[in-house]
Amino acid sequence: EDQVTQSPEALRLQEGESSSLNCSYTVSGLRGLFWYRQDPGKGPEFLFTLYSAGEEKEKERLKATLTKKESFLHITAPKPEDSATYLCAVRPMNYGGSQGNLIFGKGTKLSVKP
Amino acid sequence: GAGVSQSPSNKVTEKGKDVELRCDPISGHTALYWYRQSLGQGLEFLIYFQGNSAPDKSGLPSDRFSAERTGGSVSTLTIQRTQQEDSAVYLCASRSGTVSYEQYFGPGTRLTVT
């Protein structure tokens, strides 16, 4: 069964303390892995798409990497405004159900204290 | 440009009443999704529309849930005879429907059934 597991569930950091969030996935072939940021009371905001192992994407203090089994979202010198829930999702290669549908993890809630 | 919009932002209804939730996708996006997000849970796929094709309703939890998309644009999710377990945030997303699988989300409708 295709599934996505994110860890940790919650992460508290001090401002400037770099860390990583993990997204492990089990899918029947990967067509894409997606990272989203979700602020309280808002919809998920698209961050990155990764398509193949070894690929990396960067945006400001965030860098996403991908292997054949997992993805990491590295946060370098985080600031309080980086506090949010980060969601990981995958699009399996041969998804028997909806075309283009994504399977989401439950997210990691990041809190960055000043 | 304008993103995905949803209305209402909040809806409180009594158990047993019907509710309609509306989604306006990004202009030109041919794919539209509805998800449900309950507290502590990941995003749960409900239904998917792609162009003029028959919708994929495989995620609808019961026959009390239905959705339509008029003119390939605006979509309405209807929940009949609401139950307390229907309380959640209902999110709509759209995708350009070409090569990318990236979905762009609206702000959601928070539904509370009393």
Side-chain angles (χ1 to χ4, degrees):
Chain A
E1 179 184 352
D2 297 328
Q3 63 180 16
V4 177
T5 303
Q6 291 188 246
S7 62
E9 291 185 9
L11 180 62
R12 290 191 171 194
L13 299 174
Q14 287 297 125
E15 184 172 3
E17 179 186 4
S18 301
S19 188
S20 298
L21 312 182
N22 178 264
C23 171
S24 297
Y25 60 90
T26 305
V27 293
S28 51
L30 182 70
R31 195 177 285 276
L33 184 141
F34 306 83
W35 281 98
Y36 287 84
R37 167 189 172 132
Q38 187 173 26
D39 292 294
K42 297 189 176 181
E45 173 191 351
F46 171 75
L47 293 174
F48 304 110
T49 306
L50 301 168
Y51 291 104
S52 57
E55 188 175 359
E56 298 183 353
K57 293 274 181 74
E58 287 190 64
K59 180 180 181 180
E60 297 181 355
R61 293 176 293 281
L62 301 177
K63 183 170 79 172
T65 61
L66 181 64
T67 72
K68 290 186 177 181
K69 295 183 178 180
E70 58 192 348
S71 175
F72 291 94
L73 185 65
H74 306 279
I75 302 177
T76 301
K79 298 181 177 181
E81 53 262 42
D82 294 323
S83 297
T85 295
Y86 291 85
L87 301 173
C88 172
V90 299
R91 161 62 175 144
M93 186 77 72
N94 298 307
Y95 196 61
S98 181
Q99 293 298 310
N101 190 20
L102 303 180
I103 303 171
F104 281 85
K106 294 184 178 181
T108 293
K109 184 175 182 180
L110 174 66
S111 299
V112 182
K113 301 300 182 184
Chain B
V4 178
S5 61
Q6 292 186 243
S7 62
S9 55
N10 282 284
K11 177 72 176 179
V12 180
T13 189
E14 293 180 353
K15 177 181 174 181
K17 296 286 182 65
D18 297 351
V19 295
E20 286 189 352
L21 313 180
R22 177 187 168 105
C23 171
D24 281 274
I26 294 172
S27 178
H29 279 195
T30 58
L32 186 149
Y33 302 80
W34 283 98
Y35 291 88
R36 178 167 70 176
Q37 188 174 35
S38 303
L39 191 63
Q41 301 298 314
L43 273 72
E44 175 189 5
F45 165 73
L46 297 177
I47 189 169
Y48 160 70
F49 297 90
Q50 171 63 64
N52 295 320
S53 302
D56 179 347
K57 305 178 183 180
S58 60
L60 294 178
S62 78
D63 58 8
R64 297 186 295 104
F65 288 73
S66 63
E68 63 178 19
R69 189 179 185 190
T70 55
S73 182
V74 172
S75 177
T76 302
L77 176 69
T78 301
I79 308 173
Q80 296 178 311
R81 305 181 303 281
T82 52
Q83 304 294 312
Q84 288 187 331
E85 60 262 30
D86 298 335
S87 296
V89 176
Y90 289 82
L91 291 161
C92 174
S94 70
R95 177 171 67 87
S96 67
T98 53
V99 177
S100 166
Y101 290 107
E102 298 154 9
Q103 298 180 18
Y104 294 88
F105 285 82
T109 293
R110 180 175 296 279
L111 175 66
T112 303
V113 182
T114 61

